[in-house]
Amino acid sequence: MRSRLLLLFNGDGTTQLTAQPVPAPTGNEVGIQTQCALISAGTERLVLNGQVDPSLQDTTADSADFSYPRPYGYCTVGSVTSTGPDATLPVGTRVFGFLPHATHHIVSETAVYALPAVLSTPDATFIPNVETALNIVWDAQVGPGSRVVLIGAGTVGELVARLLSDIPALDLAVVDQPHVLERIAALLPDAHCYLPDALTRAGLPSPWRDGPDVAIECSGQPAMLQRALDVAGQETRIVMGSWYGTKSVELDLGAAFHRKRLTVAATPVSTLPAERKTRWSKDRQLRTAMTLTATLSPAQPHARFVDFREAPAVYATLRTGALPAPTILVMSQ
């Protein structure tokens, strides 16, 4: 019986690689040999440090709750290497799946998506992040000429910025650390760039003195949600692109919050916005994300590639800090 190497999160800031047997596929199952898997740093840091509600069900690992040790991950690209008697996907098909970090998987063929040739394997690992960015832009309810503050331009935030930049006459301000702003300035030279401490109503472009139309929080830092509220103008919409897990959030919801009639909107990628549920499905959303991923080529030029066996060292860095670049785990053949 073939074995696989699986990454387990211990919930205390550590991970471990363990070998497990891989059975032959049955029914409509397919065997997948992983090629690449993206580390979704913000979410995976929460899982790594045990900052996830233990009652939450993790469908990517077919688990009833979030107990540890546990596998995790949802950005896997691989090839079909074996099939059950009822499967229709041919051997050799390149697929994407919301699957935890491991060298091999046995799953129903309905759990994976065949990839178009135009989408490279490294880029395809970003499909969930592009899907998240698409949902955030939908929930932002912006159009031509909108004024938008984006707080946090990591992997998802940068994708949000790039999608927003395609909206005609949209005016965008991006807030992050210097090394991130350098990348944003190269990608989007018309964007206004701010360090976190420089984000104030007075510091915004002069036409914006009544505040932005929308503020999008993608930093993963609870304190920055208050910063979004502080910079907001009358009836500014604040969109929560971050997931804080079990981190505590303290907000000033006093007179300014009420008098300005502010709206704070969650944007969970697991569900569609209400106004799209009639015409859209999750499958349509995901396939749209695939098309956008091919256009955006998010792995280029700054993604870094790390051998899967080095994953525990990578997560040791992620435990307390940011990864230097989007990191793709490469599985040895």
Side-chain angles (χ1 to χ4, degrees), residues 152-181:
T155 299
V156 171
E158 180 183 310
L159 291 167
V160 170
R162 294 178 66 182
L163 292 179
L164 291 173
S165 70
D166 286 335
I167 299 175
L170 185 140
D171 206 5
L172 177 64
V174 181
V175 182
D176 213 313
Q177 299 302 321
H179 69 285
V180 177
L181 295 180

Short mmCIF file of all heavy atoms in Angstrom, two decimals, residues 152-181:
data_model
loop_
_atom_site.label_atom_id
_atom_site.label_comp_id
_atom_site.label_asym_id
_atom_site.label_seq_id
_atom_site.Cartn_x
_atom_site.Cartn_y
_atom_site.Cartn_z
N GLY A 152 -4.36 46.49 4.63
CA GLY A 152 -3.76 45.16 4.54
C GLY A 152 -3.69 44.68 3.10
O GLY A 152 -4.72 44.45 2.47
N ALA A 153 -2.47 44.54 2.58
CA ALA A 153 -2.27 44.12 1.19
C ALA A 153 -1.37 42.90 1.14
O ALA A 153 -0.43 42.83 0.36
CB ALA A 153 -1.68 45.26 0.36
N GLY A 154 -1.69 41.92 2.00
CA GLY A 154 -1.04 40.62 1.90
C GLY A 154 -1.57 39.89 0.68
O GLY A 154 -2.01 40.52 -0.29
N THR A 155 -1.56 38.57 0.72
CA THR A 155 -1.97 37.81 -0.46
C THR A 155 -3.38 38.16 -0.90
O THR A 155 -3.62 38.51 -2.05
CB THR A 155 -1.86 36.30 -0.18
OG1 THR A 155 -0.49 35.98 0.14
CG2 THR A 155 -2.28 35.51 -1.40
N VAL A 156 -4.35 38.09 0.02
CA VAL A 156 -5.73 38.41 -0.35
C VAL A 156 -5.90 39.90 -0.61
O VAL A 156 -6.54 40.30 -1.59
CB VAL A 156 -6.71 37.93 0.74
CG1 VAL A 156 -8.12 38.45 0.48
CG2 VAL A 156 -6.72 36.41 0.80
N GLY A 157 -5.33 40.73 0.24
CA GLY A 157 -5.47 42.17 0.07
C GLY A 157 -4.92 42.65 -1.26
O GLY A 157 -5.53 43.51 -1.93
N GLU A 158 -3.78 42.11 -1.68
CA GLU A 158 -3.24 42.50 -2.98
C GLU A 158 -4.17 42.10 -4.12
O GLU A 158 -4.35 42.85 -5.08
CB GLU A 158 -1.86 41.87 -3.19
CG GLU A 158 -1.23 42.23 -4.53
CD GLU A 158 0.09 41.53 -4.76
OE1 GLU A 158 0.95 41.58 -3.86
OE2 GLU A 158 0.26 40.95 -5.85
N LEU A 159 -4.77 40.92 -4.01
CA LEU A 159 -5.71 40.49 -5.04
C LEU A 159 -6.94 41.39 -5.06
O LEU A 159 -7.46 41.73 -6.13
CB LEU A 159 -6.11 39.04 -4.80
CG LEU A 159 -5.00 38.01 -5.04
CD1 LEU A 159 -5.40 36.65 -4.47
CD2 LEU A 159 -4.67 37.88 -6.52
N VAL A 160 -7.42 41.79 -3.88
CA VAL A 160 -8.53 42.74 -3.82
C VAL A 160 -8.14 44.04 -4.52
O VAL A 160 -8.90 44.59 -5.33
CB VAL A 160 -8.92 43.03 -2.35
CG1 VAL A 160 -9.90 44.20 -2.27
CG2 VAL A 160 -9.54 41.79 -1.72
N ALA A 161 -6.93 44.53 -4.23
CA ALA A 161 -6.47 45.78 -4.86
C ALA A 161 -6.43 45.66 -6.37
O ALA A 161 -6.82 46.58 -7.10
CB ALA A 161 -5.09 46.15 -4.31
N ARG A 162 -5.97 44.53 -6.87
CA ARG A 162 -5.86 44.35 -8.31
C ARG A 162 -7.24 44.26 -8.97
O ARG A 162 -7.44 44.78 -10.07
CB ARG A 162 -5.01 43.13 -8.62
CG ARG A 162 -3.55 43.32 -8.18
CD ARG A 162 -2.71 42.09 -8.45
NE ARG A 162 -2.57 41.84 -9.88
CZ ARG A 162 -1.93 40.80 -10.39
NH1 ARG A 162 -1.37 39.91 -9.58
NH2 ARG A 162 -1.83 40.64 -11.69
N LEU A 163 -8.19 43.61 -8.30
CA LEU A 163 -9.55 43.57 -8.84
C LEU A 163 -10.18 44.96 -8.82
O LEU A 163 -10.85 45.37 -9.78
CB LEU A 163 -10.41 42.59 -8.04
CG LEU A 163 -10.06 41.11 -8.16
CD1 LEU A 163 -10.98 40.27 -7.29
CD2 LEU A 163 -10.13 40.63 -9.60
N LEU A 164 -9.97 45.71 -7.74
CA LEU A 164 -10.51 47.06 -7.66
C LEU A 164 -9.91 47.97 -8.72
O LEU A 164 -10.60 48.86 -9.25
CB LEU A 164 -10.25 47.65 -6.27
CG LEU A 164 -11.00 47.03 -5.09
CD1 LEU A 164 -10.49 47.61 -3.79
CD2 LEU A 164 -12.50 47.25 -5.22
N SER A 165 -8.65 47.76 -9.04
CA SER A 165 -7.98 48.65 -9.99
C SER A 165 -8.56 48.56 -11.39
O SER A 165 -8.33 49.46 -12.22
CB SER A 165 -6.48 48.33 -10.04
OG SER A 165 -6.23 47.08 -10.66
N ASP A 166 -9.32 47.50 -11.67
CA ASP A 166 -9.95 47.36 -12.98
C ASP A 166 -11.29 48.09 -13.08
O ASP A 166 -11.90 48.13 -14.15
CB ASP A 166 -10.16 45.88 -13.31
CG ASP A 166 -8.85 45.17 -13.67
OD1 ASP A 166 -7.91 45.86 -14.12
OD2 ASP A 166 -8.77 43.94 -13.47
N ILE A 167 -11.76 48.67 -11.97
CA ILE A 167 -13.02 49.42 -11.98
C ILE A 167 -12.71 50.85 -12.42
O ILE A 167 -11.88 51.53 -11.79
CB ILE A 167 -13.68 49.40 -10.60
CG1 ILE A 167 -14.00 47.95 -10.20
CG2 ILE A 167 -14.94 50.25 -10.58
CD1 ILE A 167 -14.54 47.81 -8.79
N PRO A 168 -13.33 51.36 -13.46
CA PRO A 168 -12.97 52.68 -13.99
C PRO A 168 -13.09 53.79 -12.95
O PRO A 168 -14.05 53.84 -12.18
CB PRO A 168 -13.99 52.89 -15.13
CG PRO A 168 -14.40 51.52 -15.53
CD PRO A 168 -14.38 50.70 -14.26
N ALA A 169 -12.06 54.64 -12.92
CA ALA A 169 -12.03 55.85 -12.10
C ALA A 169 -12.10 55.58 -10.61
O ALA A 169 -12.29 56.52 -9.82
CB ALA A 169 -13.16 56.81 -12.51
N LEU A 170 -11.97 54.31 -10.19
CA LEU A 170 -11.95 54.02 -8.75
C LEU A 170 -10.67 54.57 -8.15
O LEU A 170 -9.58 54.39 -8.71
CB LEU A 170 -12.08 52.53 -8.50
CG LEU A 170 -12.18 52.12 -7.02
CD1 LEU A 170 -13.20 50.99 -6.85
CD2 LEU A 170 -10.84 51.66 -6.46
N ASP A 171 -10.79 55.26 -7.04
CA ASP A 171 -9.65 55.86 -6.35
C ASP A 171 -9.33 55.00 -5.13
O ASP A 171 -10.19 54.79 -4.26
CB ASP A 171 -9.99 57.29 -5.93
CG ASP A 171 -8.76 58.17 -5.79
OD1 ASP A 171 -7.65 57.70 -6.10
OD2 ASP A 171 -8.91 59.33 -5.36
N LEU A 172 -8.10 54.49 -5.06
CA LEU A 172 -7.74 53.48 -4.06
C LEU A 172 -6.60 53.96 -3.18
O LEU A 172 -5.58 54.45 -3.67
CB LEU A 172 -7.32 52.18 -4.76
CG LEU A 172 -6.85 51.02 -3.88
CD1 LEU A 172 -7.98 50.53 -2.97
CD2 LEU A 172 -6.32 49.88 -4.74
N ALA A 173 -6.79 53.81 -1.87
CA ALA A 173 -5.72 54.05 -0.89
C ALA A 173 -5.41 52.72 -0.21
O ALA A 173 -6.32 52.02 0.24
CB ALA A 173 -6.14 55.08 0.14
N VAL A 174 -4.13 52.36 -0.13
CA VAL A 174 -3.70 51.09 0.43
C VAL A 174 -2.85 51.36 1.67
O VAL A 174 -1.95 52.22 1.64
CB VAL A 174 -2.90 50.26 -0.59
CG1 VAL A 174 -2.48 48.92 0.02
CG2 VAL A 174 -3.74 50.02 -1.85
N VAL A 175 -3.12 50.60 2.74
CA VAL A 175 -2.43 50.79 4.02
C VAL A 175 -1.69 49.51 4.38
O VAL A 175 -2.30 48.43 4.47
CB VAL A 175 -3.45 51.13 5.12
CG1 VAL A 175 -2.73 51.37 6.45
CG2 VAL A 175 -4.30 52.32 4.73
N ASP A 176 -0.38 49.61 4.58
CA ASP A 176 0.40 48.44 4.99
C ASP A 176 1.80 48.89 5.34
O ASP A 176 2.10 50.09 5.39
CB ASP A 176 0.42 47.36 3.89
CG ASP A 176 0.46 45.95 4.48
OD1 ASP A 176 1.27 45.71 5.39
OD2 ASP A 176 -0.31 45.08 4.02
N GLN A 177 2.68 47.90 5.57
CA GLN A 177 4.07 48.17 5.93
C GLN A 177 4.87 48.55 4.68
O GLN A 177 4.46 48.26 3.55
CB GLN A 177 4.67 46.94 6.60
CG GLN A 177 3.99 46.55 7.89
CD GLN A 177 4.00 47.66 8.93
OE1 GLN A 177 4.99 48.39 9.08
NE2 GLN A 177 2.89 47.82 9.64
N PRO A 178 6.06 49.17 4.87
CA PRO A 178 6.82 49.70 3.72
C PRO A 178 7.11 48.68 2.63
O PRO A 178 6.96 48.98 1.44
CB PRO A 178 8.10 50.22 4.37
CG PRO A 178 7.71 50.57 5.76
CD PRO A 178 6.69 49.55 6.16
N HIS A 179 7.55 47.46 2.99
CA HIS A 179 7.92 46.49 1.96
C HIS A 179 6.71 46.05 1.15
O HIS A 179 6.84 45.75 -0.06
CB HIS A 179 8.62 45.27 2.59
CG HIS A 179 7.73 44.40 3.43
ND1 HIS A 179 7.31 44.75 4.69
CD2 HIS A 179 7.15 43.19 3.17
CE1 HIS A 179 6.55 43.79 5.19
NE2 HIS A 179 6.42 42.84 4.28
N VAL A 180 5.54 46.05 1.77
CA VAL A 180 4.32 45.70 1.03
C VAL A 180 3.92 46.85 0.12
O VAL A 180 3.53 46.65 -1.04
CB VAL A 180 3.18 45.35 2.00
CG1 VAL A 180 1.88 45.05 1.24
CG2 VAL A 180 3.56 44.17 2.87
N LEU A 181 4.02 48.07 0.62
CA LEU A 181 3.66 49.24 -0.18
C LEU A 181 4.57 49.40 -1.39
O LEU A 181 4.12 49.89 -2.44
CB LEU A 181 3.68 50.49 0.69
CG LEU A 181 2.65 50.54 1.82
CD1 LEU A 181 2.79 51.83 2.60
CD2 LEU A 181 1.23 50.39 1.27
#
